[in-house]
Amino acid sequence: MDSADVLKKVRKIEIKARGLSQNIFAGQYHSAFKGRGMAFSEVREYQFGDDVRDIDWNVTARFHRPYVKVFEEERELTVMLLVDVSGSLDFGTTKQMKRDMAAEIAATIAFSAIQNNDKIGVIFFSDRIEKYIPPKKGRKHILYIIREMLSFEPQSQKTDVGMAMAYLTRVMKRRCTSFVISDFYDRKNFSQEMQIANRKHDVVAVQVYDPRAKMLPDVGLLKVRDAETGYELYIDTSSKKLRLAHTRYWMEHQSELSHTFAKGHIDWISIATNEDFVKSMMMLFRQRA
């Protein structure tokens, strides 16, 4: 993809993501993702029922009558996007590839974050940390992130979610909200790293998948290639037995994922590339509100 195509695509994603974040997600995002705690706001005169522990003794001494400190929720968050850039994301049999959908979802979250004055950062990962973009605010920063998501060329084609989670735990010193956007095709078990990360941070998993992963069509002989290993083979999709085995594998994979996320108390959603991700994201936000 040349730079003109990338810019055109960035602009298209920006228009869609900004519209969604302004009109749909802003309020839901605000209530779904809480701030770090309570921050001092002002002092006012003591009123009946106020907690005596909130009395500001310096101000009270100065004015010879009791004053209390008023606190409000500290809203500013740091949001980290952990985006899978492995080879399996470069696949799509419907209107878009998994990588494109991942970029749209990430962009929408990013624009919702800056609407709430939150910082946003990114970790691109395969089976290594491909790139780390530290959290910052502003539209310019988000456009840079989207451009990177669309044009980034990873060093590796493989996936290691556990390694990415361990890196998040290490690199982010303060608590953050992190969205892991991946198809979660990982040959290693990442349950422990997810649990550890979610104890320190607020981790949300967003799975993107192609509908063909769930069900194979009957189209006869088909050449398939593993994007992460390069291994190729021919399969006969007219075989009902093969199609059933394919669906069974998908169901087992999803059951395993569900168990991993439940064990780590991690909220997650699964979105197909031929679906409207807005509905799924709204459902996730409402569950958390």
Side-chain angles (χ1 to χ4, degrees), residues 213-271:
K214 191 188 280 191
M215 199 174 288
L216 270 179
D218 181 354
V219 290
L221 208 60
L222 195 67
K223 186 182 182 181
V224 293
R225 178 178 177 273
D226 187 319
E228 301 204 355
T229 63
Y231 180 71
E232 293 181 344
L233 79 157
Y234 283 92
I235 58 170
D236 183 7
T237 61
S238 61
S239 162
K240 192 177 178 183
K241 192 178 174 184
L242 181 130
R243 293 199 308 275
L244 283 171
H246 179 84
T247 301
R248 192 160 53 246
Y249 171 79
W250 164 260
M251 289 170 76
E252 284 168 5
H253 176 253
Q254 291 304 97
S255 174
E256 211 173 286
L257 264 189
S258 185
H259 177 71
T260 295
F261 296 138
K263 200 174 166 187
H265 305 287
I266 291 157
D267 293 326
W268 76 296
I269 47 170
S270 187
I271 311 168

Side-chain angles (χ1 to χ4, degrees), residues 29 43 189:
Y29 170 93
V43 291
N189 186 300

Side-chain angles (χ1 to χ4, degrees), residues 17-278:
R18 280 183 82 174
L20 288 172
S21 64
Q22 284 168 2
N23 303 322
I24 300 170
F25 285 147
Q28 294 281 351
Y29 170 93
H30 180 96
S31 52
F33 300 100
K34 307 293 189 289
R36 285 197 301 269
M38 304 305 283
F40 172 72
S41 174
E42 59 180 352
V43 291
R44 62 161 169 77
E45 275 198 62
Y46 177 86
Q47 294 169 4
F48 180 74
D50 285 340
D51 192 329
V52 292
R53 288 172 298 183
D54 292 336
I55 291 176
D56 186 320
W57 294 106
N58 291 331
V59 179
T60 297
R62 200 181 313 143
F63 291 101
H64 307 293
R65 54 183 184 275
Y67 275 78
V68 292
K69 291 176 184 174
V70 178
F71 296 87
E72 61 182 25
E73 186 188 8
E74 196 176 358
R75 259 298 313 161
E76 188 181 290
L77 289 174
T78 296
V79 178
M80 286 302 297
L81 301 170
L82 280 78
V83 183
D84 184 349
V85 291
S86 64
S88 62
L89 272 286
D90 287 320
F91 180 76
T93 61
T94 59
K95 59 180 182 176
Q96 62 182 346
M97 289 199 290
K98 287 186 275 185
R99 186 184 297 281
D100 294 332
M101 176 168 260
E104 280 195 14
I105 292 169
T108 306
I109 293 167
F111 277 112
S112 298
I114 63 161
Q115 291 244 328
N116 279 278
N117 202 34
D118 297 337
K119 290 179 188 170
I120 188 105
V122 181
I123 296 167
F124 291 128
F125 71 93
S126 54
D127 63 346
R128 63 184 77 178
I129 298 303
E130 296 279 355
K131 186 164 189 164
Y132 168 57
I133 302 173
K136 275 172 72 177
K137 294 182 186 182
R139 175 179 172 269
K140 198 175 169 185
H141 179 63
I142 289 177
L143 293 180
Y144 167 62
I145 287 169
I146 298 169
R147 195 167 63 245
E148 285 295 296
M149 272 191 277
L150 294 173
S151 61
F152 190 78
E153 295 288 340
Q155 297 291 306
S156 173
Q157 296 297 302
K158 297 177 182 176
T159 311
D160 191 336
V161 177
M163 176 276 314
M165 299 314 299
Y167 181 79
L168 172 75
T169 305
R170 241 181 7 257
V171 81
M172 296 303 292
K173 303 302 177 194
R174 299 183 74 174
R175 183 175 171 82
C176 71
T177 297
S178 52
F179 293 86
V180 190
I181 306 170
S182 172
D183 55 11
F184 293 100
Y185 283 132
D186 191 342
R187 288 170 176 83
K188 293 180 188 171
N189 186 300
F190 49 84
S191 179
Q192 191 181 0
E193 292 89 347
M194 274 261 178
Q195 282 181 62
I196 293 167
N198 198 42
R199 275 187 219 126
K200 185 178 179 183
H201 305 295
D202 180 10
V203 178
V204 179
V206 180
Q207 181 194 28
V208 291
Y209 72 92
D210 188 272
R212 293 289 177 261
K214 191 188 280 191
M215 199 174 288
L216 270 179
D218 181 354
V219 290
L221 208 60
L222 195 67
K223 186 182 182 181
V224 293
R225 178 178 177 273
D226 187 319
E228 301 204 355
T229 63
Y231 180 71
E232 293 181 344
L233 79 157
Y234 283 92
I235 58 170
D236 183 7
T237 61
S238 61
S239 162
K240 192 177 178 183
K241 192 178 174 184
L242 181 130
R243 293 199 308 275
L244 283 171
H246 179 84
T247 301
R248 192 160 53 246
Y249 171 79
W250 164 260
M251 289 170 76
E252 284 168 5
H253 176 253
Q254 291 304 97
S255 174
E256 211 173 286
L257 264 189
S258 185
H259 177 71
T260 295
F261 296 138
K263 200 174 166 187
H265 305 287
I266 291 157
D267 293 326
W268 76 296
I269 47 170
S270 187
I271 311 168
T273 51
N274 62 343
E275 291 175 354
D276 180 3
F277 69 84
V278 173

